[in-house]
Amino acid sequence: MFMIMYMSIIILLISNTMMFISIILSKKSFSDREKCSPFECGFDPKSSARIPFSLHFFLITVIFLIFDVEIALIFPIINLFKMTNIYMWFKISFFFIIVLLLGLYHEWNQNMLNWTN
């Protein structure tokens, strides 16, 4: 027990020391208008390089990734069926599916699943 505690303290100290050294030694850069503007062969840019970002598309992407990870977490439940008794498997599966359905209901309630505004 103490060995794990000592190792975690040592790892914490080493990582914090490395982060502190990197902050001290990092190159300071001063941003000016020329450095922040896009480079177009020496000419002034014709239009803004910063296109507007669709927050709605980003949220739909995050929801898709969450459901994708949830599907990846469901696959081991199939193998778990062979290793445990049916009652324990049913409890685990039911709890997991209920959590997924509650998340889906919350997203539906917040109108996050609408493709258009």
Side-chain angles (χ1 to χ4, degrees):
M1 179 67 184
F2 290 113
M3 185 67 168
I4 294 173
M5 189 173 71
Y6 290 138
M7 290 302 289
S8 61
I9 290 173
I10 289 171
I11 290 171
L12 186 68
L13 286 174
I14 290 172
S15 62
N16 284 337
T17 305
M18 294 300 285
M19 285 191 296
F20 183 71
I21 290 172
S22 70
I23 290 171
I24 290 173
L25 297 178
S26 67
K27 180 183 173 188
K28 305 288 187 227
S29 66
F30 299 103
S31 297
D32 59 352
R33 190 180 75 82
E34 293 298 323
K35 285 185 179 178
C36 292
S37 66
F39 181 72
E40 290 186 10
C41 299
F43 298 106
D44 290 331
K46 293 182 180 179
S47 63
S48 174
R50 309 283 190 248
I51 58 174
F53 183 73
S54 173
L55 186 62
H56 188 70
F57 180 74
F58 174 74
L59 291 175
I60 289 175
T61 306
V62 169
I63 290 171
F64 171 75
L65 287 174
I66 289 170
F67 281 123
D68 198 34
V69 169
E70 290 170 353
I71 289 172
L73 291 174
I74 287 176
F75 284 135
I77 290 177
I78 297 169
N79 288 338
L80 189 66
F81 181 71
K82 298 174 189 175
M83 296 180 216
T84 62
N85 60 6
I86 189 74
Y87 180 69
M88 193 65 165
W89 180 83
F90 182 74
K91 280 180 22 178
I92 292 170
S93 301
F94 184 74
F95 176 73
F96 190 73
I97 297 297
I98 289 297
V99 169
L100 295 181
L101 288 176
L102 286 174
L104 179 65
Y105 176 72
H106 178 68
E107 290 168 356
W108 187 18
N109 225 6
Q110 297 292 322
N111 290 328
M112 295 302 297
L113 299 178
N114 292 337
W115 285 91
T116 59
N117 290 333

